[in-house]
Amino acid sequence: MAHHLFAVLVRATATVTTIDAHLAKPMRLVARAHRIDGYRLGGQVTGAWDPDYDPAADPNNWHPCSACGGTTRVDGAECRACVDAVEAGRRPGTVVPWSYTDWARYPGDIVALPRLLHPGWRFPPGRTPVAWVDLAGVVWLGTDEAILTGTDTGAVPPRLLGVFHDLVAGRRDPDPTAPPAGRRHIPADRSVPWRHPGRPRRPRVRFEPADWSVAVVDAHS
């Protein structure tokens, strides 16, 4: 199973509790193309854009040892399953699940878009996304080979810079919605020719980066 880091645009109101609802629509575009089998926030790339974060050091990932029930003792002897807890900085009698599927979701995997738009922003080396996803579509960033070969420097890819420029300039609509259907008005006097006014245009809304965040998504295929 291959895992890929996707950057997915979501509303700034998204939290680790509500993120699934925010990801559903944009990620459906990728799933429909049969490019991935599934996805989740963080997953194998939990904390990818926060070099100071270690899932094993997060107390939210410390679970009571199943071998000793958290007592640190088995048949009167020291429990070998959680013997490293204190040395590793964990509470005694705790372990860290080996599978990322049991890790707690990390709030740092939802990053405010203005951080990425800052001229000095760089991804941690090897953690550049392979794709950008929003409701305007999917943009493949051409970073796969560099990530696989270990030559990814973390510089923002040119294609992603193009996406950022289009967003800020209003040339990319990340949340297209159909205008409300208006009720057709027919004059009471049928002798007066009636002309359809045409489909009303949706008022153009200026894109505000502060209204958006970017989710670190582990997409697997």
Side-chain angles (χ1 to χ4, degrees), residues 2 4 6 8 12 24 26 48 52 59 71 75 77 101-102 130 173 176 216:
H4 310 281
F6 283 18
V8 184
D52 296 326
T71 66
D75 296 330
T101 59
D102 293 320
V130 301
D173 187 352
V216 176

Side-chain angles (χ1 to χ4, degrees), residues 11 21-22 24 42 53 70-71 80 82 93 118 153 187 190 204 214 221:
R11 289 287 182 182
H22 287 269
Y53 178 75
T71 66
R80 305 310 300 172
C82 60
H118 190 279
T153 64
R190 292 298 185 116
R204 190 177 185 85
V214 181
S221 59

Side-chain angles (χ1 to χ4, degrees), residues 111-201:
V111 180
L113 177 61
R115 282 187 59 194
L116 275 67
L117 296 179
H118 190 279
W121 170 263
R122 292 179 70 90
F123 299 100
R127 295 303 197 179
T128 302
V130 301
W132 169 274
V133 186
D134 59 30
L135 283 179
V138 183
V139 180
W140 298 95
L141 303 177
T143 56
D144 307 63
E145 183 175 352
I147 292 171
L148 287 173
T149 58
T151 58
D152 173 48
T153 64
V156 180
R159 293 179 188 175
L160 185 53
L161 285 175
V163 169
F164 290 163
H165 292 159
D166 288 345
L167 283 171
V168 174
R171 293 191 296 267
R172 183 178 181 87
D173 187 352
D175 190 13
T177 56
R183 179 173 294 180
R184 179 175 176 176
H185 173 70
I186 300 177
D189 183 359
R190 292 298 185 116
S191 64
V192 178
W194 178 82
R195 182 183 179 189
H196 193 286
R199 185 177 183 179
R201 290 187 177 182

